[in-house]
Structure formats: structure tokens, C-alpha cells
Amino acid sequence: MIDFVRCFMRGAIFLAALVWVVASQAQDEAEDSPYRPGLIAQYAAGGTKAVRADEVIAFDWQNAAADPRLPAGDFSAAWRGRLWARGAGQYRLHAFVQGQVTIKLANKAVISGQSDEPKWIESQPLDLEFDHHPLEVIYQRGAKRGQLAIFWSGPDFRLEPVPAWALMHDRADSPPTAFERGRQLASALRCVACHKDSAASLTPAPALDRLSGNINEQWLVGWLSASDGKQETSSRRMPHLALTRDEAIAVTAWLLREPPVKAEIQKDEQKEAKVAKEDSQTKKTETKSKKSKGEEKPKPSAEEGEKLLLTRGCLACHQLGTLGLSGLFGGGDLSSLAAKRPADFLTRWLADPAAINRDQRMPIFQFTADEVTSLNLWAKQQSTHQPAAQARDSKTKLLEDGQKLVASLKCAACHSLTRDNAAPPTADQKELTSASDWKSSCSGLSNRAKNRPGYQLAAADTTALKEYYSTAKPGATRLSQQARGRDLLAQLNCLACHQREGADRTAL
């Protein structure tokens, strides 16, 4: 059985590598194409313009701003690009519109109409050849609310939204993406925690009030004192702090000053026992069924745990060695789990993650008792001996030094540090603008003398942040619910597993 599992594991790893190769080849082919996905959109309002690429035209702006760079109110929009008809035949275009719309295909108006209330407008039958046909959509919101969605029907399909694969633009005309990349970076790096910004909201970082018993002390010291000056990837969202090792030891001592929450651990153990009891009858039924078919259910093992990691979608948000991708809003690197966490951590985390980190964003997975056991066996297999935390008197100078450092570093701006649900402190740094000193900013190296953290971003990401903060954003606080929903899809990392037409995937 073990040999079978090992073969399966090799096959899973090979399949993951094959998928990566196929995806890379598809990307290479796409880069060779003269076209890129989406239509080039130009929005205008109040004398200001914003240009971007929209994958689809399916918007419900209500009375909100069409783009963060534009004020709320009346606006106009024009989309230009190509409509790809994959087969010759008779098509129709349909618009669901509130406002005024004109759609031109090959420079000929095929739809034109206006309505103060949402209504359907359709074209006459259109005979199209297999080709990338020039497409232009012009829209004007004049009513208090506005929306626009483009549909089509074809020779072999009924009415449906025009999909992302059918809308594209000439590669040479691609608009810049620095503003949107900077917007995603500002959210992921939590710039608003320190810098005043009335247009942004803070997504809490992991809560640190229950670290005791849930993290290895030596790993935390190394994490806090790491500052090698190398360029970071987007998987690290906490800045370097330029702490010496002694300072990192003091901060760690203060963060781990509280004893583990025994009641919560007992609660988790009770929950696991309940899950095991509920699963017992199901397991018996499955075992009888499999035995009747001549199959044997695999016993819990580290190999089964690794198989679960590779097949349950964990690598959509996490990295494991060379596999997976964390991204701006991912869950970090599981390769260091053994060094970072105690051996029983994974079992307790899967049972009740909020008991360990009340600000966690991980979805709840339904694992059977055997699957949880397998995952725990895998985690223990990775574990190396970790030196026990040093017992310390709460009145020692080390803890006092750690508390002062935590306060001076403003850790509470991003993290919950106590169990009293205290509100984060108000941002006290100047608002970031084009006039900010970007050569000596948090995007570069840390500076302990000035108490400035450093994200050590790539040059392109620093440029993107500067572009975002150098651009006026009068509509940032007046975005539609639909636009906020698209932001949440990125921030909750939904797009790592799910494709969603019209939702930005810049962060992935």
C-alpha cells in the first residue's frame, strides 16, 4: 500500500509539473499573439480620464464612481478592441442597459439606444466570419443610476454574456497596469496602518495575542531579525524591521509572555473527538462498501497527509517547496511549517483556526478524522527538534525591553496584540503622495535609526506604489458594491482557485 501511495505522490507531483508546463506554454503562445485579453476602456468624468483594460463589459455602477480615479456622478465610457467570432455564422448582440449606449462592429452601429430604467436592446442578425472583428462600445450615464452588460447569441449557442475569451485588444495598444498593481500592493502591505488615507480600509494582519504554544520561539527570533537586503517576492507581506538578534529575542519574549490558552486547546480536542465520533459511522459504511468491492481504505499516514496537501487545493494559496504560489494575498510557505509551528499545531488549527488567530482568513475545510490524523502525521514527519522556550519572570528587564520595542515599532497598527479587542491606533504618518520621498520609503531597505521598516520591493512594485499614491482618487470612497466585491475576490484569494470573468487577477 505504501508503494502505491508513493507512486501516487510521484504521479501527483508530475501532474502538477505538467500543468505548470502546459500553463507556461499557453502563456508563451498568448505572448506571441498580436492580441491581449480585454477591451481598452477609457472613462471620463469631471474633466478627468482613467484608462484601463476590462475583461468583460458587465457593470452595475448604481450611483457610484466608475473608477477610483474619477469622481462619482455622470460619466462617459468607451471600450475599444476586437470581438472574436470563433465560427462563421449568424450572431446577435444584446445590451442590458440603464443609460445611453452605442455598439459599433467593424465601424457600423449595430445597437443604439437610451433608457432611464434597465432594459434590453438587441441588434439585427449579423453575419460574421471567423475573425477578430473591430468592436467599439460607447456609454453615457445620465440617470441617477447606471448599468451595462453585453450579451450575444450565435449559430451554435443561445443568449449568454460575451465571455472574456471573445474580447481582446491589440497588444501594441495595451494600457499601463501600474495603478492597479499599486492599489493591490497598498492593500496587501497595509500602508494605511501607518499612513493617513481616508480612501482605504485596513485588513487586519494575523492576531498575535495567542502566539504562546502556537509558534516556535527560535523561528520567531529568526523571522524578526532577518534583514539581508535582498529583494523580496510578494509572498512576504511583513516588512523587515532591522532588529538585532538581541532585540528580536526581547520582542519574542514579550509576544510569548502569556501562557498557552489551555481552555481553547481542550475545546479543540473536544471538537476533534466529536468529529471522530460523527465520522465513525460514515467510515464503517465506507469500509463495508469498499470491502465489498475488494478495496481497502488507506490507513492514516504521513504519505496520505502529503497527498491531501497536493490534491485539496492547499497549493492554490500556499507554497510547498517549488510547488504552489502564495501571491499578495496567499497563505504563506508550508515548507517552513515544521520550523515555525509545534508538532500538534496543524491538528488544532484545522479544528478551530479562529481560536488561534481571530483575524485569520483561511476557509474552513471539512476533513475526516483519518484525514486530520494523516495531515498531523505529515507535519510531525517534517518536524525537527525545537529547543524549549526559556522560562522567564514577567518582571524581567527583557520583557520590559520587548514591550518598549513593540510600542516603538508600532506593531499594534497591523496586529492585535492583546485579548481585549482594542482598536488599532490611528495612522500618524503623512499621507503618501507624489511629493513623498520615494527614494527613502518603506518600499526599500529598513532604517533602524529612523524606525522605518522596509519591504525591499522589486523596482517595478515600488514604481507601481508611487503611481497609485501619486494619482488623485476622488471616487475611492464611492465605489459600487460590485466593485467592492471584485476587490474582496482578490483580497480573500478566491481567484487563486476560481476564474472569474471581469475580476482583476493582477495580484496573483
Side-chain angles (χ1 to χ4, degrees):
M1 187 63 185
I2 296 296
D3 290 339
F4 169 78
V5 172
R6 286 174 179 166
C7 289
F8 182 92
M9 291 300 301
R10 293 191 189 100
I13 293 172
F14 172 78
L15 181 59
L18 180 61
V19 170
W20 182 84
V21 170
V22 171
S24 297
Q25 290 176 342
Q27 182 177 356
D28 290 341
E29 291 174 3
E31 290 177 353
D32 291 337
S33 169
Y35 304 111
R36 295 195 67 184
L39 300 177
I40 298 175
Q42 180 172 289
Y43 296 84
T48 305
K49 294 181 180 179
V51 180
R52 69 190 194 200
D54 286 338
E55 286 190 339
V56 295
I57 300 180
F59 297 102
D60 184 2
W61 296 284
Q62 302 173 350
N63 61 349
D67 186 275
R69 293 164 285 186
L70 301 178
D74 292 350
F75 71 90
S76 63
W79 294 266
R80 294 177 177 84
R82 305 271 179 167
L83 176 68
W84 187 12
R86 287 186 175 180
Q90 192 173 86
Y91 292 78
R92 280 182 186 267
L93 292 180
H94 309 255
F96 186 71
V97 60
Q98 183 177 18
Q100 182 177 342
V101 65
T102 298
I103 300 178
K104 297 180 180 180
L105 196 62
N107 298 318
K108 180 182 178 181
V110 296
I111 283 181
S112 182
Q114 186 273 336
S115 177
D116 291 337
E117 299 295 330
K119 79 169 187 178
W120 286 95
I121 306 175
E122 67 177 32
S123 73
Q124 296 296 318
L126 305 169
D127 292 321
L128 301 180
E129 299 295 329
F130 172 87
D131 202 353
H132 298 84
H133 301 273
L135 176 69
E136 181 178 11
V137 180
I138 302 171
Y139 174 82
Q140 176 73 48
R141 183 177 72 182
K144 293 182 179 180
R145 304 170 72 87
Q147 55 184 307
L148 177 65
I150 305 300
F151 296 74
W152 68 346
S153 55
D156 55 358
F157 62 90
R158 296 184 179 180
L159 182 70
E160 66 179 26
V162 178
W165 61 258
L167 298 174
M168 51 194 61
H169 63 272
D170 293 349
R171 177 177 292 275
D173 297 331
S174 293
T177 60
F179 176 85
E180 185 56 33
R181 175 65 177 175
R183 186 167 177 262
Q184 298 287 10
L185 282 164
S187 175
L189 303 181
R190 303 180 175 90
C191 301
V192 69
C194 294
H195 293 276
K196 296 177 181 179
D197 187 351
S198 60
S201 58
L202 176 65
T203 302
L208 305 182
D209 56 327
R210 296 186 180 182
L211 277 184
S212 295
N214 294 311
I215 200 163
N216 290 324
E217 180 178 355
Q218 295 304 313
W219 180 92
L220 186 54
V221 171
W223 173 260
L224 291 173
S225 58
S227 183
D228 53 20
K230 292 182 180 178
Q231 215 169 66
E232 287 291 347
T233 63
S234 61
S235 59
R236 177 173 175 131
R237 294 174 293 277
M238 177 177 162
H240 292 282
L241 302 173
L243 295 178
T244 66
R245 186 167 182 81
D246 287 344
E247 289 175 327
I249 289 172
V251 171
T252 297
W254 188 84
L255 290 174
L256 300 182
R257 69 196 182 283
E258 300 283 357
V261 185
K262 298 294 184 182
E264 293 296 338
I265 295 174
Q266 292 171 2
K267 179 182 177 181
D268 291 344
E269 291 171 348
Q270 292 170 359
K271 182 178 288 188
E272 289 173 23
K274 181 180 179 181
V275 170
K277 184 176 180 181
E278 292 173 349
D279 288 342
S280 62
Q281 187 60 43
T282 303
K283 288 193 294 182
K284 290 178 181 178
T285 304
E286 291 176 351
T287 301
K288 289 180 181 179
S289 175
K290 290 190 175 183
K291 283 184 177 180
S292 65
K293 297 179 181 178
E295 300 177 9
E296 182 180 352
K297 186 178 180 180
K299 295 180 180 179
S301 65
E303 289 83 0
E304 284 294 317
E306 188 171 3
K307 182 174 75 174
L308 285 167
L309 286 173
L310 293 172
T311 58
R312 282 292 185 89
C314 303
L315 301 187
C317 293
H318 297 277
Q319 289 177 274
L320 182 61
T322 58
L323 300 177
L325 180 65
S326 179
L328 277 180
F329 298 99
D333 193 348
L334 294 179
S335 305
S336 61
L337 181 65
K340 182 178 181 180
R341 302 293 188 178
D344 65 340
F345 172 82
L346 194 56
T347 300
R348 294 185 291 107
W349 174 262
L350 293 174
D352 191 359
I356 296 172
N357 173 13
R358 53 192 163 100
D359 291 326
Q360 64 89 26
R361 297 181 297 116
M362 179 172 160
I364 304 298
F365 286 87
Q366 299 298 321
F367 291 108
T368 66
D370 279 356
E371 289 174 334
V372 171
T373 301
S374 292
L375 287 167
N376 194 42
L377 288 171
W378 171 82
K380 288 181 177 179
Q381 187 182 72
Q382 316 307 310
S383 298
T384 56
H385 174 71
Q386 294 290 334
Q390 301 176 17
R392 299 186 179 95
D393 185 344
S394 61
K395 296 182 180 180
T396 62
K397 184 176 184 303
L398 186 66
L399 293 184
E400 292 175 359
D401 291 343
Q403 185 174 16
K404 291 178 182 177
L405 283 165
V406 167
S408 67
L409 295 169
K410 302 178 182 177
C411 302
C414 292
H415 301 277
S416 296
L417 301 178
T418 60
R419 299 172 188 176
D420 57 4
N421 293 319
T426 304
D428 58 1
Q429 297 296 308
K430 292 181 180 179
E431 184 178 358
L432 291 169
T433 67
S434 58
S436 300
D437 184 4
W438 290 95
K439 292 182 179 179
S440 302
S441 71
C442 301
S443 64
L445 296 176
S446 53
N447 187 318
R448 191 74 183 87
K450 295 183 178 180
N451 216 27
R452 187 185 70 221
Y455 284 98
Q456 300 176 187
L457 299 179
D461 281 344
T462 298
T463 299
L465 269 178
K466 181 179 179 181
E467 173 70 18
Y468 173 70
Y469 280 112
S470 299
T471 303
K473 299 175 284 292
T477 58
R478 293 289 306 276
L479 295 178
S480 67
Q481 292 299 311
Q482 184 190 47
R484 295 184 184 279
R486 286 198 297 270
D487 287 342
L488 281 173
L489 285 177
Q491 293 166 6
L492 297 177
N493 218 32
C494 305
L495 304 178
C497 291
H498 305 279
Q499 181 171 348
R500 174 70 183 185
E501 294 179 346
D504 177 69
R505 288 190 285 274
T506 304
L508 301 184

